[in-house]
Amino acid sequence: MKKADIFSILFFILLAFLLVYDKTRAAYLIFNAAHPYILGFLKVGILATFGEILALRIIKGHYVMPVGLIYRFIVWGFLGIVFVAVFELFGSGTTALLDKNLLPYYSKARKFFQAFYTSVLMNLIFAPTFMAFHRITDAYIDLSEGKLSKMFEINLDKALSYIDWKTFANFVVLKTIPFFWIPAHTVTFLLPSSYRVLVAALLSVALGVILSLKKKAKSVSAR
């Protein structure tokens, strides 16, 4: 463990403390209710970007800033705003479907079925589009080496050809969605709505760390 790892651990300890301590949790809930999009931007922007830094730390063995860090933060922040709306959209939509008996469920376990159906519908309808969009924005950032002036010189065809769509389809869509995101978001939608976007951001960090550990283990075994 490096000295910088201690700061990463302290960061998550501080986050946990802020959510557990009554006064800071109450302040979070009030601000989240009053300004959901602002907090959505900050929560996902900070946590998901930090998750990318942690992933590079695991793979490379030391801390290094991703290319175009500020642009990655902005993209993640924008997606955080989208998540706020999308979570509400699919949550309310699933409630309407259940109220009209358009989905089968066991009445005594309605809360679970509602969370499960919300997760399934969101991940099958919205997630592939969001993931593809994020791949494209990453491609622009990578190809431009994080320089805004170069981004405008890159056309869409070049960005699309840069992406490994086979891995995207076979692994990201067909494996992470059914085996990680649907179960994980089922748990997320069992939580109060104020915490869902925050937990989703933390899950993206967790998945990034898991995949980085797996990638590093493969590279070590291949030597």
Side-chain angles (χ1 to χ4, degrees):
M1 179 182 290
K2 298 181 182 295
K3 289 183 179 179
D5 292 328
I6 297 174
F7 291 101
S8 296
I9 294 170
L10 289 175
F11 171 79
F12 287 107
I13 292 175
L14 175 62
L15 178 62
F17 173 79
L18 293 175
L19 292 174
V20 171
Y21 185 57
D22 290 342
K23 291 184 177 179
T24 51
R25 184 176 70 250
Y28 163 78
L29 293 173
I30 292 171
F31 191 81
N32 188 72
H35 307 284
Y37 287 130
I38 294 175
L39 216 55
F41 182 95
L42 294 174
K43 284 184 289 190
V44 177
I46 293 171
L47 288 172
T49 304
F50 187 56
E52 291 196 32
I53 295 172
L54 284 180
L56 284 175
R57 157 68 180 91
I58 293 169
I59 293 171
K60 294 182 177 294
H62 60 277
Y63 283 93
V64 57
M65 294 297 105
V67 173
L69 181 66
I70 185 63
Y71 300 114
R72 295 180 190 277
F73 169 76
I74 292 171
V75 170
W76 275 120
F78 167 74
L79 290 173
I81 294 174
V82 174
F83 293 164
V84 172
V86 166
F87 277 34
E88 189 62 37
L89 175 67
F90 281 94
S92 299
T94 303
T95 298
L97 289 173
L98 292 175
D99 288 343
K100 295 180 180 180
N101 293 314
L102 293 174
L103 289 173
Y105 70 96
Y106 179 52
S107 59
K108 291 185 179 180
R110 170 164 172 152
K111 186 176 181 180
F112 168 78
F113 278 96
Q114 183 162 328
F116 173 71
Y117 283 134
T118 304
S119 179
V120 169
L121 291 171
M122 185 182 73
N123 279 291
L124 293 182
I125 297 172
F126 166 72
T129 302
F130 137 66
M131 291 172 175
F133 170 79
H134 195 226
R135 286 292 186 284
I136 294 170
T137 57
D138 277 353
Y140 272 95
I141 294 171
D142 290 341
L143 290 169
S144 66
E145 299 176 335
K147 297 177 181 178
L148 185 60
S149 59
K150 287 187 176 181
M151 288 185 196
F152 293 104
E153 299 173 1
I154 300 168
N155 58 45
L156 183 59
D157 287 343
K158 186 175 181 180
L160 292 174
S161 63
Y162 177 81
I163 300 166
D164 183 355
W165 291 109
K166 184 177 180 180
T167 299
F168 174 79
N170 289 335
F171 180 73
V172 177
V173 174
L174 296 180
K175 290 185 179 178
T176 66
I177 287 179
F179 299 116
F180 181 83
W181 287 117
I182 288 178
H185 280 148
T186 297
V187 176
T188 300
F189 281 105
L190 288 171
L191 300 172
S193 59
S194 298
Y195 298 102
R196 290 172 184 171
V197 173
L198 175 63
V199 171
L202 289 170
L203 287 170
S204 71
V205 175
L207 180 61
V209 169
I210 292 169
L211 294 179
S212 299
L213 289 170
K214 183 178 179 181
K215 185 175 181 179
K216 186 173 183 179
K218 282 186 177 180
S219 65
V220 171
S221 62
R223 294 176 184 173

